[in-house]
Amino acid sequence: MHRPIFEQVCVIGLGLIGASFAQAIKDNGLSERLVAVDRHAPSITEAIEHGLLDAGSANLQDVISGSDLIIIAVPVQAVQAVFVDIKQAMDNGQLAADCILTDVCSTKVNIIDAAKAVFGSLPVGLVPAHPIAGAENSGYHARRASLFVNHSVIICELATTSNVAITKLRLLWESVGANVISMDAGHHDRILAHTSHLPHLLAFNLVEQLASHDDNLDMFRYAAGGFRDFTRIAASDPKMWHDIFFANQSAIVSALDEYGVYLQTMRQLIIGKDSTALMGLLGRAQAARRHFGHMLASTPYTDTSAMSASYNITPSNTVSGTIAIPGDKSISHRSIMLGSLATGVTHVTGFLEGEDALATLQAFRDMGVTIEGPDTGNLTIHGVGMNGLKPSKTPLYMGNSGTSMRLLSGILAAQSFDSVLTGDTSLNKRPMERVAAPLRTMGAVIQSTGHSGTAPLSITGRDTAGKPLQGTEYDMPVASAQVKSCLLLAGLWAEGTTTVTQPEISRDHTERMLSAFGYPVIVEGNRISVTGGGTLTGGDIAVPADISSAAFFMVAAAISQNSELTLTQVGINPTRTGVIDILKLMNADISLSNEAHVGGEPVADITIRSSNLVGIEIPEHLVPLAIDEFPVLFVAASCAKGRTVLTGAKELRVKESDRIAVMAEGLQTLGIDCTVTDDGLIIEGKGTATESGDINNNSQPVFGGGHIVSHHDHRIAMSFSVASLRASEQITIEGTETVNTSFPGFAELANQIGMSIQVDTDAE
């Protein structure tokens, strides 16, 4: 129950919206008194009998005196007449001149015009509003106090309106559970014309079209669920929609005209049997529906602060079996990018259907590329060539994927059109000047945000910038595959040669895949060069299992008791096998078999057995080759005998979280002694390895139990899941939704080999 915001609220119109708003105000104690006006006498009588109203009448003058808020909930064409009655009440002294006036109509410009016509100048208390909520049934009896909970309410803040009126009305809507959005009235009407008014118009029209056929009975009898779902809204109040269609005439006609163009396009595609173009249109529509669903719902494509899922893990101490790890995320990203820019068709198998890779896929769909799938890891990409991308109509949304944003920056810096890259709250905090600055040396015009140089990134196209990118020689201060790849990709369009020199070897998937698509790449030690002006040719790409994902299970088997686990056909690219090298230095029992090459990438089955791990000083040359695997390697180090020291790993501080600080915090929570340094971590392992090789000691707990905050970093969450194998008590990990960015199905696969992870999606 809230404190009252108003002394007396008067609701004019007790239909679904008006009565629901009245009930919500009553139930939440937001007004001292509640009165209403409605021409339907039974509704007024019942509302008084139910205790909803203190008074009611068919005549506004009977009940309006003393109201400090009036809510107009009548058909839009009737609003002007209501304004006339309100003005009369003001002239008679029944209402104060600053009384707040608001409405719930779905058009706004005509409400403002009606107020001007009646009052001469807009009242200081006028706040046009529109709740985006409704139900199939209408009228007083359909009212629900919860109708507005978690629904948006658009408020049009006029220059003539007092701040007090805006503040109080915003507070009222928020108090009944709504999310308040401010919007210009004209923009509101244009948006609603497309998203609400046009769909209703089409539904009414389609039902009328079918009803006019001679065989209409069979049409309706055999109509499938899609017809019923689409035309459900045609059961809405005809009088209300009649008024809305006229009230928002200009915007609706414009939306209809635009819709007609799209219909004509689809008609021509069907007549011409243009399979690729039609598949592209249908695929983009399907993907856009899913994409915007992610953006608007509480999923990993949105602000992670709204997330609440967690893992509750019961300790277990043995894992075993043979499992397949999902496809490599790095290669999945690049297959979309290069396949889209190639000439011809590219078929991809093993594509990782995680949130990060799907963000890349959606971005290229937004730029006009036809992509079929994904369907159980299979994709068909109809390449548009090096100069075939089209400008996206909206900012390209990267979700939580730093790889998507940094690599795309290089591609987009060379395009003819302007573009904007944005991401979720977490991604928009990560540093982007590390790619923006070297791109500028090539002539790119790119603007990052804020003093720290973060996203959103605004990239000016070459048509505006005036000249193509120029090849450059760039000495990387820190080995980073993302920065290297960004510059090499930009170099595909640059005049001359682009050369990147890295201080240490970093993953080389971009170089390998460019070669697979027929683009010449020169590799001379740590110097990698491309010359602009070439072409890419589509082909078949087989994505191997991701070694970064496999690392969690490698460590799981190594630290647990009597375990033997085989991971099939994992990518063992030599720029990615640092995790294997480090674990072997720690005395892990790891063997490779069935080695082969798939799509230019080496693969093998990896078998890991229980091991007596020992602490080591991790060689700095291996750090770039295992940069993503260090969170779970920290878990291995905690289970090793002796001290493990990591240096040269500043890159870990600018991942999805500061992985050094966050892992140290979690390890300390579980009872591990560790020290954070400027560029690494020192871990005092609690293992008790024996010279005899007896691995029974792996049954002894190393970690306590506790509550871990993952900071919505997928690798942090999965690493502490692995720690449960050597824990004495239950571990709860908060913020695990982002695991789907890189490893969908992680918990299920972990449970399959013997772990015990319960996924709780209602933690808050």
Side-chain angles (χ1 to χ4, degrees), residues 201 261 346 590 674:
L201 186 152
V261 172
T346 295
I590 300 177
C674 56

Side-chain angles (χ1 to χ4, degrees), residues 438-454:
L439 283 173
R440 292 189 192 106
T441 69
M442 301 176 70
V445 180
I446 180 169
Q447 178 65 51
S448 57
T449 302
H451 296 298
S452 55
T454 55

